[in-house]
Amino acid sequence: MNPEELRALPAHNLLSNLASENAGWDESPHESAIAPRGSSDDSLLDAYSTAVTGAVERMSPSVVNIEVHQAVPANSNGRSRSGEPQNKERRGGGSGFVFTPDGLILTNSHVVHDAVRIAVTMADGRRMPATLIGDDPASDLAVIRLERPQFDEPGLTAAALGDSQRLRVGQIVIAIGAPYGFQSTVTAGVVSALGRSLRSYSGRLIDDVIQTDASLNPGNSGGPLVDSAGRVVGVNTATILPAQGICFAIGINTAKFVASRLLRDGRLRRSYIGVSAQTVPVHRRVVRFYDLPKEMGAVVVGVEESSPAKRAGLREGDVIVALEGQPVAGVDDLHRLLTDLRVGVSCSLTVIRWTEKLEIKVVPEEAR
């Protein structure tokens, strides 16, 4: 149709003729360009869904709900702070997971700390009492054991433990829990960051914490963080309430170490020197004069009587800048260096007293 014919046609005839001509157009090239993209997206979503559901199916039988009865702390009048009688119990709970076939369960310390009674509900509905093997508030980890008097009961499914050192930022992870007795709840996300530090409720710093955007709901504390293969790579522990999508889990490698010590000793041995300290900056002139590796230190604000620090001659106002040659840039560094290996072993503390640099020998004791 030439331009003169187009101008001669009325508007309604023009539209009908264009429609009839377009009806014969071949739009298959456009469809073929779009179709592969849609099918590719579908296959990616199917693969993601398959990975998550597979991991959940493998892990869910090991996830348990933990119900805890704790004694209400009382004041000098024999009543709790809220006015309740001293003998009244407070109920709480969280999640956990079976990691050995004989009924050992890993969870958070804050879930079972000071528990009077512990009851565990399995994924298949069985309910069993449990006893506390040990807990470590400094790492917020605990181990409990199921009491199984009936030997004809079905066996337990132990979770497969992975390697948190192999995690990569952006890797898919799934947080599973059993809050309030509901059969496992699942949230999925990615590893947001590695090597984070998180302060436990005991005041110590937990190192090598995993940050993830897999949401943690109330009651999910102590549940497993698993990879797409269904292996546990972390123990869910905390979330930042005002923030969106910032949740934390303790690496499973840390949990393995803590669990082995709890099974062996019932607690983790750590050393202490008997000082209360604060993190402070060291004067720049002192840093330059002594060529200190850090510009921060731990100032001693109190020394316990009959403590290793008192016997070694530490004084209030001394700034600790190193322990056995390892820099101390604050209280957290001091805690980190005071491991069980230093119990009863003479150590060299480098301190700044006024403007003088001193080397003081101290023999740490086991923390009680």
Side-chain angles (χ1 to χ4, degrees):
M1 185 177 293
N2 57 43
E4 289 77 10
E5 292 174 333
L6 285 174
R7 284 194 293 271
L9 285 172
H12 66 278
N13 288 342
L14 174 63
L15 293 175
S16 62
N17 286 338
L18 289 175
S20 63
E21 291 181 5
N22 289 345
W25 290 356
D26 183 12
E27 298 189 2
S28 57
H30 299 280
E31 294 176 357
S32 63
I34 296 172
R37 189 183 307 164
S39 62
S40 176
D41 290 346
D42 290 345
S43 63
L44 288 175
L45 289 174
D46 287 344
Y48 175 80
S49 178
T50 301
V52 173
T53 54
V56 172
E57 288 174 357
R58 284 188 287 272
M59 189 66 217
S60 290
S62 305
V63 181
V64 301
N65 170 259
I66 301 174
E67 182 182 311
V68 177
H69 295 259
Q70 297 168 317
V72 177
N75 55 24
S76 58
N77 297 326
R79 303 185 71 84
S80 69
R81 294 178 181 177
S82 60
E84 298 173 331
Q86 182 179 359
N87 58 0
K88 189 174 180 62
E89 292 182 353
R90 179 176 55 214
R91 290 181 60 181
S95 303
F97 59 93
V98 179
F99 68 98
T100 63
D102 58 346
L104 290 176
I105 294 173
L106 197 59
T107 185
N108 284 151
S109 171
H110 75 261
V111 171
V112 296
H113 191 67
D114 291 334
V116 177
R117 286 181 291 125
I118 303 173
V120 172
T121 303
M122 309 296 295
D124 57 10
R126 286 179 289 168
R127 185 178 173 86
M128 306 179 194
T131 55
L132 178 64
I133 298 296
D135 72 312
D136 180 42
S139 61
D140 198 20
L141 292 168
V143 175
I144 62 177
R145 185 191 297 274
L146 289 174
E147 299 176 6
R148 302 177 62 206
Q150 293 84 14
F151 295 98
D152 57 344
E153 288 183 349
L156 301 174
T157 303
L161 304 184
D163 183 0
S164 53
Q165 290 294 323
R166 294 180 176 272
L167 284 175
R168 296 293 180 266
V169 174
Q171 182 175 334
I172 294 173
V173 287
I174 304 112
I176 307 177
Y180 309 117
F182 293 114
Q183 199 167 11
S184 63
T185 62
V186 178
T187 55
V190 298
V191 175
S192 306
L194 296 168
R196 293 291 198 221
S197 294
L198 179 69
R199 195 170 301 281
S200 69
Y201 67 96
S202 72
R204 280 182 176 262
L205 209 63
I206 310 173
D207 294 321
D208 294 329
V209 173
I210 304 164
Q211 179 183 325
T212 173
D213 66 351
S215 302
L216 297 183
N217 302 310
N220 277 8
S221 292
L225 184 74
V226 304
D227 61 13
S228 56
R231 297 182 296 258
V232 183
V233 293
V235 181
N236 300 320
T237 185
T239 183
I240 298 179
L241 295 178
Q244 296 292 326
I246 300 181
C247 304
F248 297 99
I250 301 162
I252 195 62
N253 290 8
T254 300
K256 291 175 186 177
F257 170 76
V258 172
S260 66
R261 295 299 180 90
L262 293 177
L263 290 170
R264 188 186 71 182
D265 304 322
R267 60 191 179 88
L268 247 69
R269 297 175 69 237
R270 290 185 175 88
S271 57
Y272 97 112
I273 57 175
V275 298
S276 52
Q278 294 178 352
T279 302
V280 295
V282 181
H283 198 283
R284 286 187 177 181
R285 290 184 179 179
V286 175
V287 173
R288 287 197 297 266
F289 185 80
Y290 291 114
D291 194 23
L292 300 178
K294 303 287 185 180
E295 295 185 356
M296 305 290 288
V299 62
V300 177
V301 296
V303 181
E304 297 178 13
E305 293 295 331
S306 303
S307 66
K310 187 73 171 180
R311 291 191 293 270
L314 252 68
R315 304 175 187 174
E316 292 183 13
D318 288 349
V319 180
I320 302 172
V321 294
L323 174 63
E324 281 295 292
Q326 299 293 318
V328 173
V331 177
D332 295 324
D333 283 348
L334 189 60
H335 282 163
R336 189 181 298 112
L337 293 171
L338 288 172
T339 64
D340 61 332
L341 299 177
R342 302 197 187 277
V343 175
V345 178
S346 179
C347 301
S348 176
L349 274 178
T350 305
V351 303
I352 302 297
R353 180 173 295 169
W354 299 104
T355 58
E356 186 180 4
K357 181 181 176 183
L358 302 174
E359 296 291 334
I360 297 177
K361 292 294 184 180
V362 62
V363 181
E365 295 178 355
E366 184 177 347
R368 302 297 179 184

